[in-house]
């Protein structure tokens, strides 16, 4: 029975997964370990490579997730599939220092400790050769995280840590959000009792092979995760995202309206209608890019989606004006009726577009067959 399960999220890490297994084997000679890779159906064929690796090495497993994406949720699923008393998370690209794993195992013998975190910001730890802008952004995101957390973690954004399995279960049961990149932060923020931790330094290395998945979406997902921590128990995360996009739509609306009225001298009704359509279209595009990034519409689906979005939001707009007018006539003041109207409209738009615009594919079988050939399993003879 393994003593330690190491979870490795992968997306397009073909050139790294075997090297990581080799280095872990070299780093942990005295420990009975298993390696659980969680791959989101990488187009570069990482999963096929992992299956081949698992065929020759019993300590390796590949969990394949199809039709889903996300670093944090992949880690959580890998952690839940682990059956060792100790579990760890490490990146596939060899940026984390696997030679620290034995020390983590050693430290976790202490019954008073739940988690050991590999930290870039304690003692001799370092971020390696990062550009000044990336270092600054990382520092900024770190201090934001520290303000949401009750724990005094120096590196809450670390993706490299080891933890007792029971502690992981307690966090997940209490409700991890699973959104975005920050798995450690997610675990700390959801733990029912403060996690007892220790940070040990390591130096963040250069990526071994392949490219980073950190893109502009990461900042957005990070913002969503922080908001989710603050109010996610009451309001669904997608609704928060949808509302943020809606608020930005108001800015677009006013800008277009001002331009058409003052720049082009159009009449109010025409300008207001045009601004509404532009704002709806930009809201549709942004929601498709951000709120529903995991089920993004493409090609003809985009056109059909736009029609249903505009139709749903037009009815939502009518409901908004209807409720607000009704309240206004009864109450007199304008602030409460206006807010009530906007809220009813937003909930309506959210509910309807979730049903009709970005509906979950009704049957996976309708999805086109994989074009990538699946590698034949090695012959058993
Ligand atoms: N399954 C899955 N699904 N894995 C993913 C996904 C995904 O959608 N996105 C990224 N990964 C995997 C990558 O394959 C890699 O093994 C690991 O998650 C980290 O992704 P990178 O693209 O290498 O991220 P990074 O180097 O910019 O950021 C890392 O370092 C930071 C500093 O420690 C991450 O570990 C961050 O969580 C960490 O904060
Ligand atoms: Mn990396």
């Amino acid at each position: 029975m393994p003593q330690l399960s190491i979870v490795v999220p992968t997306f397009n890490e073909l050139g790294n997964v075997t090297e990581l297994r080799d280095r872990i084997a070299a780093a942990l000679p005295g420990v009975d370990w298993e390696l659980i890779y969680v791959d989101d159906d990488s187009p570069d064929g990482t999963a096929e490579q992992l299956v081949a690796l698992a065929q020759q090495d019993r300590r390796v497993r590949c969990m394949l997730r199809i039709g889903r994406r996300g670093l944090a949720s992949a880690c959580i699923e890998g952690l839940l599939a682990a059956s060792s008393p100790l579990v760890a998370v490490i990146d596939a690209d060899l940026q984390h220092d696997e030679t620290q794993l034995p020390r983590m195992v050693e430290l976790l013998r202490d019954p008073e400790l739940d988690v050991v975190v590999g930290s870039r910001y304690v003692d001799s730890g370092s971020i390696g050769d990062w550009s000044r802008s990336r270092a600054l952004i990382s520092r900024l995101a770190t201090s934001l995280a520290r303000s949401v957390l009750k724990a005094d973690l120096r590196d809450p954004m670390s993706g490299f840590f080891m933890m007792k399995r029971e502690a992981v279960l307690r966090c997940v049961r209490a409700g991890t959000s699973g959104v975005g990149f920050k798995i450690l932060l997610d675990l700390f923020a959801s733990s029912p009792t403060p996690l007892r931790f220790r940070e040990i330094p390591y130096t963040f290395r250069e990526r071994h092979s392949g490219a980073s998945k950190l893109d502009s979406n990461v900042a957005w997902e990070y913002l969503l995760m922080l908001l989710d921590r603050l109010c996610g128990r009451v309001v669904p995360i997608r609704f928060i995202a949808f509302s943020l996009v809606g608020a930005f739509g108001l800015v677009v609306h006013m800008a277009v309206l001002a331009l058409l009225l003052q720049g082009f001298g159009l009449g109010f009704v025409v300008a207001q209608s045009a601004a509404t359509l532009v704002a709806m279209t930009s809201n549709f595009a942004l929601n498709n890019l951000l709120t529903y990034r995991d089920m993004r519409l493409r090609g003809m689906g985009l056109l059909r989606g736009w029609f249903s979005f505009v139709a749903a939001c037009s009815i939502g707009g009518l409901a908004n004006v209807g409720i607000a007018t009704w309240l206004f006539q009864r109450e007199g003041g304008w602030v409460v009726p206006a807010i009530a109207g906007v809220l009813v409209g937003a909930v309506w738009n959210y509910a309807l577009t979730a049903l009709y615009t970005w509906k979950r594919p009704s049957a996976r079988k309708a999805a086109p067959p994989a074009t990538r050939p699946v590698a034949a399993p090695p012959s058993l003879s």
Side-chain angles (χ1 to χ4, degrees), residues 17-84:
V17 288
T18 308
E19 176 70 18
L20 179 70
R21 190 275 317 258
D22 295 345
R23 293 210 199 174
I24 283 186
L28 288 168
V31 178
D32 195 354
W33 52 268
E34 65 169 348
L35 203 46
I36 305 176
Y37 288 95
V38 188
D39 186 68
D40 284 352
D41 211 14
S42 307
D44 74 346
T46 303
E48 285 80 47
Q49 172 72 22
L50 288 172
V51 168
L53 196 61
Q55 291 280 346
Q56 8 150 321
D57 189 340
R58 289 182 170 280
R59 300 169 297 185
V60 174
R61 266 200 284 161
C62 171
M63 262 178 81
L64 185 55
R65 304 198 307 168
I66 297 182
R68 311 198 13 222
R69 275 298 303 275
L71 175 47
S73 65
C75 290
I76 292 174
E77 278 171 47
L79 289 169
L80 295 183
S83 36
S84 319

Coordinates of all heavy atoms in Angstrom, one line a residue, residues 17-84:
V17 N 6.2 14.3 -18.8 CA 5.7 13.3 -17.8 C 6.6 12.2 -17.5 O 6.7 11.7 -16.3 CB 4.3 12.8 -18.2 CG1 3.2 13.9 -18.1 CG2 4.3 12.3 -19.7
T18 N 7.3 11.7 -18.4 CA 8.2 10.6 -18.2 C 9.4 11.0 -17.3 O 9.8 10.4 -16.4 CB 8.7 9.9 -19.5 OG1 7.6 9.6 -20.3 CG2 9.5 8.7 -19.2
E19 N 10.0 12.2 -17.7 CA 11.1 12.8 -16.9 C 10.7 13.0 -15.5 O 11.5 12.7 -14.6 CB 11.5 14.1 -17.6 CG 12.6 14.9 -16.9 CD 14.0 14.2 -17.0 OE1 14.2 13.3 -17.9 OE2 14.8 14.5 -16.2
L20 N 9.5 13.5 -15.3 CA 9.0 13.7 -13.9 C 9.0 12.4 -13.1 O 9.4 12.3 -12.0 CB 7.6 14.4 -13.9 CG 7.1 14.6 -12.5 CD1 7.9 15.7 -11.8 CD2 5.6 15.0 -12.5
R21 N 8.4 11.3 -13.7 CA 8.4 10.0 -13.1 C 9.8 9.6 -12.7 O 10.1 9.2 -11.6 CB 7.8 9.0 -14.0 CG 7.4 7.6 -13.4 CD 8.6 6.7 -13.4 NE 9.4 6.6 -14.6 CZ 9.2 5.7 -15.5 NH1 8.4 4.7 -15.3 NH2 10.0 5.7 -16.6
D22 N 10.8 9.8 -13.6 CA 12.1 9.4 -13.3 C 12.7 10.2 -12.2 O 13.4 9.6 -11.3 CB 13.0 9.6 -14.6 CG 12.6 8.7 -15.7 OD1 11.9 7.7 -15.5 OD2 13.0 8.9 -16.9
R23 N 12.5 11.5 -12.2 CA 13.1 12.3 -11.1 C 12.4 12.0 -9.8 O 13.1 12.0 -8.7 CB 12.9 13.8 -11.4 CG 13.7 14.2 -12.6 CD 14.1 15.6 -12.5 NE 14.5 16.1 -13.8 CZ 14.8 17.4 -14.0 NH1 14.6 18.3 -13.0 NH2 15.1 17.8 -15.2
I24 N 11.1 11.7 -9.8 CA 10.5 11.4 -8.5 C 11.0 10.0 -8.0 O 11.3 9.9 -6.8 CB 8.9 11.4 -8.7 CG1 8.5 12.8 -8.7 CG2 8.2 10.6 -7.6 CD1 7.0 13.1 -8.8
A25 N 11.2 9.1 -8.9 CA 11.7 7.8 -8.5 C 13.1 8.0 -7.8 O 13.5 7.4 -6.8 CB 11.8 6.9 -9.7
A26 N 13.9 8.9 -8.4 CA 15.3 9.2 -7.9 C 15.2 9.9 -6.6 O 16.0 9.7 -5.7 CB 16.1 10.0 -8.9
A27 N 14.2 10.8 -6.4 CA 14.1 11.6 -5.2 C 13.6 10.8 -4.0 O 13.8 11.2 -2.8 CB 13.3 12.8 -5.4
L28 N 12.8 9.7 -4.2 CA 12.1 9.1 -3.1 C 12.4 7.6 -3.0 O 11.5 6.7 -3.0 CB 10.6 9.2 -3.4 CG 9.9 10.6 -3.1 CD1 8.5 10.6 -3.7 CD2 10.0 11.0 -1.7
P29 N 13.7 7.3 -2.9 CA 14.1 5.9 -2.9 C 13.4 5.1 -1.7 O 13.0 3.9 -1.9 CB 15.6 5.9 -2.8 CG 16.0 7.2 -2.3 CD 14.9 8.1 -2.7
G30 N 13.3 5.7 -0.6 CA 12.9 5.0 0.6 C 11.3 5.1 0.8 O 10.9 4.6 1.9
V31 N 10.6 5.6 -0.1 CA 9.2 5.9 0.2 C 8.4 5.0 -0.8 O 8.7 5.0 -2.0 CB 8.9 7.4 0.0 CG1 7.4 7.6 0.2 CG2 9.7 8.2 1.0
D32 N 7.3 4.4 -0.4 CA 6.4 3.7 -1.3 C 5.4 4.8 -1.8 O 4.5 5.2 -1.1 CB 5.6 2.6 -0.5 CG 5.0 1.6 -1.4 OD1 5.0 1.9 -2.6 OD2 4.5 0.6 -0.9
W33 N 5.5 5.1 -3.1 CA 4.7 6.2 -3.6 C 3.9 5.7 -4.9 O 4.2 4.7 -5.5 CB 5.6 7.4 -4.0 CG 6.8 7.0 -4.9 CD1 8.0 6.7 -4.5 CD2 6.8 6.9 -6.3 NE1 8.8 6.4 -5.6 CE2 8.1 6.5 -6.7 CE3 5.8 7.1 -7.3 CZ2 8.4 6.4 -8.0 CZ3 6.2 6.9 -8.7 CH2 7.5 6.5 -9.0
E34 N 2.9 6.5 -5.2 CA 2.2 6.3 -6.5 C 2.1 7.7 -7.1 O 2.1 8.7 -6.4 CB 0.9 5.6 -6.3 CG -0.1 6.5 -5.6 CD -1.5 5.9 -5.6 OE1 -1.8 5.0 -6.4 OE2 -2.4 6.4 -4.8
L35 N 1.9 7.7 -8.5 CA 1.9 9.0 -9.2 C 0.5 9.0 -9.9 O 0.2 8.1 -10.7 CB 3.0 9.0 -10.2 CG 3.6 10.2 -10.7 CD1 3.8 11.3 -9.6 CD2 4.9 9.9 -11.4
I36 N -0.3 10.0 -9.6 CA -1.6 10.1 -10.3 C -1.6 11.3 -11.2 O -1.6 12.4 -10.7 CB -2.8 10.2 -9.3 CG1 -2.7 9.0 -8.3 CG2 -4.1 10.2 -10.0 CD1 -3.7 9.2 -7.2
Y37 N -1.5 11.1 -12.5 CA -1.6 12.2 -13.4 C -3.1 12.4 -13.8 O -3.8 11.5 -14.0 CB -0.9 11.8 -14.7 CG 0.6 11.8 -14.6 CD1 1.3 10.6 -14.4 CD2 1.4 12.9 -14.8 CE1 2.7 10.5 -14.3 CE2 2.8 12.9 -14.7 CZ 3.4 11.7 -14.4 OH 4.8 11.7 -14.4
V38 N -3.5 13.7 -13.8 CA -4.9 14.0 -14.2 C -4.8 14.8 -15.4 O -4.4 16.0 -15.4 CB -5.6 14.8 -13.1 CG1 -7.1 14.9 -13.4 CG2 -5.5 14.1 -11.7
D39 N -5.2 14.2 -16.5 CA -5.0 14.9 -17.8 C -6.4 15.3 -18.4 O -7.3 14.5 -18.4 CB -4.3 13.9 -18.8 CG -4.0 14.6 -20.1 OD1 -3.2 15.6 -20.1 OD2 -4.6 14.3 -21.1
D40 N -6.5 16.5 -18.9 CA -7.7 17.0 -19.5 C -7.7 16.8 -21.0 O -8.0 17.7 -21.8 CB -8.0 18.4 -19.1 CG -8.4 18.6 -17.7 OD1 -8.7 17.6 -17.0 OD2 -8.5 19.7 -17.2
D41 N -7.5 15.5 -21.4 CA -7.5 15.1 -22.8 C -6.7 16.1 -23.7 O -7.1 16.6 -24.7 CB -9.0 15.2 -23.3 CG -9.3 14.2 -24.3 OD1 -8.4 13.3 -24.5 OD2 -10.3 14.3 -25.0
S42 N -5.4 16.2 -23.3 CA -4.5 17.1 -24.0 C -4.4 16.8 -25.5 O -4.2 15.6 -25.8 CB -3.1 17.0 -23.4 OG -3.1 17.2 -22.0
P43 N -4.5 17.7 -26.3 CA -4.4 17.4 -27.8 C -3.0 16.9 -28.2 O -2.9 16.3 -29.2 CB -4.8 18.8 -28.5 CG -4.8 19.8 -27.4 CD -4.9 19.1 -26.1
D44 N -2.0 17.2 -27.4 CA -0.6 16.7 -27.8 C -0.4 15.3 -27.5 O 0.7 14.8 -27.8 CB 0.4 17.6 -27.1 CG 0.6 17.2 -25.6 OD1 -0.2 16.5 -25.1 OD2 1.6 17.7 -25.1
G45 N -1.4 14.5 -27.0 CA -1.2 13.1 -26.8 C -0.5 12.7 -25.5 O 0.0 11.6 -25.3
T46 N -0.6 13.7 -24.5 CA 0.0 13.3 -23.2 C -0.7 12.1 -22.6 O 0.0 11.2 -22.0 CB -0.3 14.5 -22.2 OG1 0.3 15.7 -22.7 CG2 0.4 14.3 -20.8
A47 N -2.0 11.9 -22.7 CA -2.7 10.8 -22.1 C -2.2 9.5 -22.7 O -2.0 8.5 -22.0 CB -4.2 10.9 -22.3
E48 N -1.9 9.4 -24.0 CA -1.5 8.2 -24.6 C -0.1 7.8 -24.0 O 0.2 6.7 -23.7 CB -1.3 8.3 -26.1 CG -2.7 8.3 -26.9 CD -3.4 9.6 -26.8 OE1 -2.8 10.6 -27.1 OE2 -4.6 9.6 -26.5
Q49 N 0.7 8.9 -23.9 CA 2.1 8.7 -23.3 C 1.9 8.1 -21.9 O 2.7 7.3 -21.4 CB 2.8 10.0 -23.3 CG 4.1 10.1 -22.6 CD 5.2 9.3 -23.3 OE1 5.1 9.1 -24.5 NE2 6.2 8.8 -22.6
L50 N 1.0 8.7 -21.1 CA 0.8 8.3 -19.7 C 0.3 6.8 -19.6 O 0.7 6.1 -18.8 CB -0.2 9.2 -19.0 CG 0.3 10.6 -18.7 CD1 -0.8 11.5 -18.2 CD2 1.4 10.5 -17.7
V51 N -0.6 6.5 -20.6 CA -1.1 5.1 -20.6 C 0.1 4.2 -20.8 O 0.2 3.1 -20.2 CB -2.2 4.9 -21.6 CG1 -2.6 3.5 -21.9 CG2 -3.5 5.7 -21.2
A52 N 0.9 4.5 -21.8 CA 2.1 3.7 -22.1 C 3.0 3.6 -20.9 O 3.5 2.5 -20.5 CB 2.8 4.3 -23.3
L53 N 3.1 4.7 -20.1 CA 4.0 4.7 -18.9 C 3.4 3.8 -17.9 O 4.1 3.1 -17.2 CB 4.1 6.2 -18.5 CG 5.2 6.5 -17.5 CD1 6.5 6.3 -18.1 CD2 5.1 8.0 -17.1
A54 N 2.0 3.9 -17.7 CA 1.4 3.1 -16.7 C 1.4 1.7 -17.0 O 1.4 0.8 -16.1 CB -0.1 3.6 -16.6
Q55 N 1.5 1.3 -18.3 CA 1.7 -0.1 -18.7 C 3.0 -0.7 -18.2 O 3.1 -1.9 -18.0 CB 1.5 -0.2 -20.2 CG 0.1 0.1 -20.7 CD -0.8 -1.1 -20.6 OE1 -0.4 -2.2 -20.3 NE2 -2.1 -0.9 -20.7
Q56 N 4.0 0.2 -18.1 CA 5.3 -0.4 -17.7 C 5.6 -0.1 -16.2 O 6.5 -0.7 -15.7 CB 6.5 0.1 -18.6 CG 6.2 1.2 -19.5 CD 7.3 2.1 -19.8 OE1 8.1 2.5 -18.9 NE2 7.5 2.5 -21.1
D57 N 4.9 0.8 -15.6 CA 5.2 1.1 -14.2 C 3.9 1.2 -13.4 O 3.0 2.0 -13.6 CB 5.9 2.5 -14.2 CG 6.4 2.9 -12.8 OD1 6.0 2.3 -11.8 OD2 7.3 3.8 -12.8
R58 N 3.8 0.2 -12.5 CA 2.5 0.1 -11.7 C 2.3 1.3 -10.8 O 1.2 1.4 -10.3 CB 2.6 -1.1 -10.8 CG 2.6 -2.4 -11.4 CD 2.7 -3.5 -10.4 NE 2.4 -4.8 -11.0 CZ 1.2 -5.2 -11.2 NH1 0.1 -4.5 -10.9 NH2 1.0 -6.4 -11.9
R59 N 3.3 2.0 -10.5 CA 3.1 3.2 -9.6 C 2.5 4.3 -10.3 O 2.1 5.3 -9.7 CB 4.5 3.6 -9.1 CG 5.2 2.5 -8.3 CD 6.7 2.8 -8.1 NE 7.4 3.0 -9.3 CZ 8.7 3.2 -9.3 NH1 9.4 3.3 -8.2 NH2 9.4 3.4 -10.5
V60 N 2.3 4.3 -11.6 CA 1.7 5.4 -12.4 C 0.3 5.1 -12.8 O 0.0 4.0 -13.3 CB 2.6 5.6 -13.7 CG1 2.0 6.7 -14.5 CG2 4.0 6.0 -13.3
R61 N -0.5 6.1 -12.6 CA -1.9 6.0 -13.1 C -2.3 7.3 -13.9 O -1.7 8.3 -13.6 CB -2.9 6.0 -11.9 CG -3.2 4.6 -11.5 CD -4.5 4.6 -10.7 NE -4.3 5.1 -9.3 CZ -5.3 5.6 -8.6 NH1 -6.5 5.7 -9.0 NH2 -5.0 6.0 -7.3
C62 N -3.1 7.1 -14.9 CA -3.6 8.3 -15.6 C -5.1 8.4 -15.5 O -5.9 7.5 -15.8 CB -3.3 8.1 -17.1 SG -4.0 9.4 -18.1
M63 N -5.5 9.5 -14.9 CA -7.0 9.8 -14.8 C -7.3 10.7 -16.0 O -6.7 11.8 -16.1 CB -7.3 10.6 -13.5 CG -7.8 9.8 -12.4 SD -8.1 10.8 -11.0 CE -9.6 11.6 -11.4
L64 N -8.1 10.3 -16.8 CA -8.4 11.1 -18.0 C -9.8 11.8 -17.8 O -10.8 11.2 -17.5 CB -8.5 10.2 -19.2 CG -8.6 10.8 -20.6 CD1 -7.6 11.8 -20.9 CD2 -8.6 9.7 -21.6
R65 N -9.8 13.1 -18.0 CA -11.1 13.9 -18.0 C -11.4 14.3 -19.4 O -10.5 15.0 -20.0 CB -11.0 15.0 -17.0 CG -10.5 14.7 -15.6 CD -10.9 15.7 -14.6 NE -10.4 17.0 -15.0 CZ -10.7 18.2 -14.4 NH1 -11.6 18.1 -13.4 NH2 -10.2 19.3 -14.7
I66 N -12.5 14.0 -19.8 CA -12.9 14.4 -21.2 C -13.9 15.5 -21.2 O -14.9 15.4 -20.5 CB -13.3 13.2 -22.0 CG1 -12.1 12.2 -22.1 CG2 -13.8 13.6 -23.4 CD1 -12.4 11.0 -22.9
G67 N -13.7 16.5 -22.0 CA -14.7 17.6 -22.1 C -14.6 18.6 -20.9 O -15.6 19.3 -20.7
R68 N -13.6 18.6 -20.2 CA -13.5 19.5 -19.0 C -12.1 20.1 -19.0 O -11.1 19.5 -19.5 CB -13.7 18.7 -17.7 CG -15.0 17.9 -17.9 CD -15.6 17.4 -16.6 NE -15.1 18.1 -15.4 CZ -14.9 17.3 -14.3 NH1 -15.1 16.1 -14.4 NH2 -14.6 17.9 -13.2
R69 N -12.0 21.3 -18.3 CA -10.7 21.9 -18.2 C -10.6 22.5 -16.8 O -11.6 22.8 -16.2 CB -10.5 23.0 -19.2 CG -10.0 22.7 -20.6 CD -8.6 22.1 -20.6 NE -7.5 22.9 -19.9 CZ -6.9 23.9 -20.6 NH1 -7.2 24.2 -21.8 NH2 -6.0 24.6 -20.0
G70 N -9.4 22.7 -16.3 CA -9.2 23.4 -15.0 C -8.2 22.7 -14.1 O -8.3 21.5 -13.8
L71 N -7.2 23.5 -13.7 CA -6.1 23.0 -12.9 C -6.6 22.6 -11.5 O -6.4 21.5 -11.0 CB -5.0 24.1 -12.8 CG -3.9 23.9 -11.9 CD1 -3.2 22.6 -12.1 CD2 -2.8 25.0 -12.2
A72 N -7.4 23.5 -10.8 CA -7.8 23.3 -9.5 C -8.7 22.1 -9.4 O -8.5 21.2 -8.6 CB -8.5 24.5 -8.8
S73 N -9.7 22.0 -10.3 CA -10.6 20.9 -10.3 C -9.9 19.6 -10.6 O -10.2 18.5 -10.0 CB -11.8 21.1 -11.2 OG -11.4 21.2 -12.5
A74 N -8.9 19.6 -11.5 CA -8.1 18.4 -11.8 C -7.4 17.9 -10.5 O -7.4 16.7 -10.2 CB -7.2 18.6 -12.9
C75 N -6.8 18.8 -9.8 CA -6.1 18.5 -8.6 C -7.0 17.9 -7.6 O -6.7 16.8 -7.0 CB -5.4 19.7 -8.0 SG -4.0 20.3 -9.0
I76 N -8.2 18.5 -7.4 CA -9.1 17.9 -6.4 C -9.5 16.5 -6.8 O -9.5 15.6 -5.9 CB -10.4 18.9 -6.3 CG1 -9.9 20.2 -5.7 CG2 -11.4 18.2 -5.4 CD1 -11.0 21.2 -5.6
E77 N -9.8 16.3 -8.0 CA -10.2 14.9 -8.4 C -9.1 13.9 -8.2 O -9.3 12.8 -7.8 CB -10.8 14.9 -9.8 CG -12.2 15.4 -9.8 CD -12.8 15.6 -11.2 OE1 -12.6 14.8 -12.1 OE2 -13.4 16.7 -11.3
G78 N -7.9 14.3 -8.5 CA -6.7 13.5 -8.3 C -6.6 13.2 -6.8 O -6.3 12.0 -6.4
L79 N -6.7 14.2 -6.0 CA -6.5 14.0 -4.6 C -7.6 13.1 -4.0 O -7.3 12.3 -3.1 CB -6.6 15.4 -3.9 CG -5.5 16.3 -4.1 CD1 -5.8 17.7 -3.6 CD2 -4.2 15.8 -3.4
L80 N -8.8 13.2 -4.6 CA -9.9 12.3 -4.1 C -9.7 10.9 -4.5 O -10.2 9.9 -3.9 CB -11.2 12.8 -4.5 CG -11.6 14.2 -3.9 CD1 -13.0 14.6 -4.3 CD2 -11.5 14.1 -2.4
A81 N -8.9 10.7 -5.6 CA -8.7 9.3 -6.1 C -7.6 8.6 -5.4 O -7.3 7.5 -5.5 CB -8.4 9.4 -7.6
A82 N -6.8 9.4 -4.5 CA -5.7 8.9 -3.8 C -6.1 8.1 -2.6 O -7.1 8.4 -2.0 CB -4.8 10.1 -3.4
S83 N -5.3 7.0 -2.3 CA -5.7 6.3 -1.1 C -4.6 6.2 -0.1 O -4.7 5.5 0.9 CB -6.2 4.9 -1.5 OG -5.5 4.4 -2.6
S84 N -3.5 7.0 -0.3 CA -2.4 7.0 0.7 C -2.7 8.0 1.8 O -3.4 8.9 1.5 CB -1.1 7.4 0.0 OG -1.0 6.8 -1.2

